[in-house]
Amino acid sequence: LKVFLDLKLHDIPFQVRGAARAASLAGADILSIHALGGSEMVSQARAGVEEAASARKERTKLVAISVLTSLDQEALSAVGINSSVADEVSRLACLAHQAGADGLVCSAQEAAKMREQLGQDSLIVTPGIRPAGAALGDQKRVATPASAIASGASKLVIGRPITQAVDPAAAFDACVAELVR
């Protein structure tokens, strides 16, 4: 099995380096960190997974979280970020990519632009995935599985629509069926 360890690391560079190394040694294939931690923090996370790579067959991939899918323009402004969501995602993507991240976590609304900006080899992880008709919960920037893939997503994060379903296996199968239509 492949493991996406969605720890959302965000701390001083020294701590993140150690946490990233430990997560990699524990078997994480993909690890999330917050781009808002800055370029030095991202760089140190990369150093941590590189250190662990010698003990593993492959290096843990780092994906940097841009703007949480639970935030919209109003919420960004409330925390003092006055650029548009799209501009903030782009800015953080550039920072993280230059510091050594393998990809980005962003909503499907930004996925196409991030695919163009970061290239075909970058991981584009899209949370906030909701099958048609599913409850939005606290998510603001959502998409269906099919539309996220069409927008350039590499990986989908489909949490509560599956984990909180009466029949999680059937909910998963419905998401897969949407993708293979």
Side-chain angles (χ1 to χ4, degrees), residues 86-106:
D87 287 348
E88 185 66 7
V89 169
S90 182
R91 183 185 72 75
L92 291 170
C94 185
L95 175 149
H97 183 72
Q98 290 175 352
D102 297 292
L104 191 72
V105 179
C106 64

Side-chain angles (χ1 to χ4, degrees), residues 1-166:
L1 296 175
K2 297 288 184 178
V3 175
F4 171 33
L5 194 53
D6 193 17
L7 287 181
K8 299 175 177 73
L9 296 176
H10 188 179
D11 204 336
I12 63 172
F14 176 82
Q15 295 296 344
V16 169
R17 182 181 186 144
R21 181 179 183 280
S24 182
L25 289 172
D29 296 291
I30 301 172
L31 175 64
S32 68
I33 59 177
H34 272 283
L36 277 172
S39 59
E40 182 61 20
M41 190 204 78
V42 174
S43 177
Q44 288 300 306
R46 177 65 181 250
V49 298
E50 292 285 352
E51 289 169 2
S54 62
R56 298 186 61 201
K57 292 181 176 140
E58 59 185 309
R59 180 181 57 77
T60 298
K61 303 289 187 201
L62 291 175
V63 291
I65 297 165
S66 59
V67 176
L68 296 172
T69 53
S70 61
L71 301 177
D72 58 13
Q73 192 62 55
E74 182 179 341
L76 270 188
S77 295
V79 296
I81 299 172
N82 296 313
S83 57
S84 70
V85 171
D87 287 348
E88 185 66 7
V89 169
S90 182
R91 183 185 72 75
L92 291 170
C94 185
L95 175 149
H97 183 72
Q98 290 175 352
D102 297 292
L104 191 72
V105 179
C106 64
S107 82
Q109 283 96 5
E110 297 92 32
K113 184 175 180 188
M114 292 304 98
R115 174 65 59 216
E116 182 180 306
Q117 181 175 325
L118 299 175
Q120 291 302 313
D121 293 336
S122 287
L123 287 171
I124 306 294
V125 177
T126 57
I129 302 302
R130 297 291 185 261
L136 298 183
D138 57 357
Q139 299 296 300
K140 303 278 193 295
R141 296 175 3 262
V142 301
T144 64
S147 66
I149 293 294
S151 294
S154 311
K155 309 278 184 195
L156 305 179
V157 179
I158 310 171
R160 286 171 280 180
I162 294 173
T163 63
Q164 293 183 356
V166 172

